[in-house]
Amino acid sequence: MRQPRQRISAQGLDLKDQVISINRVTKVVKGGKNLSFAALVVIGDESGHVGFGTGQSGEVPLAIKKAVEAAKKNLIRVPLIHKTLPHELIGVFGAGRVLLKPAKEGTGVIAGGAVRAGNAGCWSSRLPYQGSWSANPHNVVRATF
């Protein structure tokens, strides 16, 4: 049976944040249109602590700030061996599927889109990756986690 992931406190960690996507959201109401922005952010240090969060606000900087605070609450520990994954992983969330593989010494991040942005400076400096099967960055990031 799968065990729930343990949450980690952000106290004392040197976390870097990476904005994955910013969406403009428009809601049609009686008086016209309400405009807001939604941000998807991944944070982490380079030693295996990583988290992601979303935030929504009327301004982009506020949405990013809310997303970073949400990501700090969702920190998890990723097991790494020599700065790479210990074995192959297939992550699935909605229509997003991600295949992550361990890498040999000297290999860089071989990924694109949301997977690259989420992993480049956050938790693994060596990560071969094969296809996300989804263009939605939210599903790809959740499948990666």
Side-chain angles (χ1 to χ4, degrees), residues 29-117:
V29 293
K30 185 177 178 183
K33 295 181 180 179
N34 287 344
L35 186 68
S36 64
F37 296 92
L40 175 64
V41 173
V42 174
I43 64 167
D45 58 358
E46 294 179 352
S47 62
H49 300 96
V50 66
F52 75 96
T54 58
Q56 189 168 358
S57 180
E59 300 172 4
V60 174
L62 252 140
I64 292 172
K65 183 179 177 184
K66 286 182 180 182
V68 168
E69 293 301 318
K72 286 182 182 178
K73 293 178 186 175
N74 291 327
L75 278 176
I76 61 168
R77 173 94 173 114
V78 177
L80 297 177
I81 298 176
H82 304 292
K83 293 191 176 186
T84 189
L85 299 173
H87 54 81
E88 284 189 4
L89 297 170
I90 297 176
V92 178
F93 186 85
R97 287 182 26 209
V98 175
L99 173 63
L100 302 171
K101 300 177 184 179
K104 295 181 180 179
E105 188 69 38
T107 306
V109 177
I110 304 170
V115 178
R116 180 181 200 84

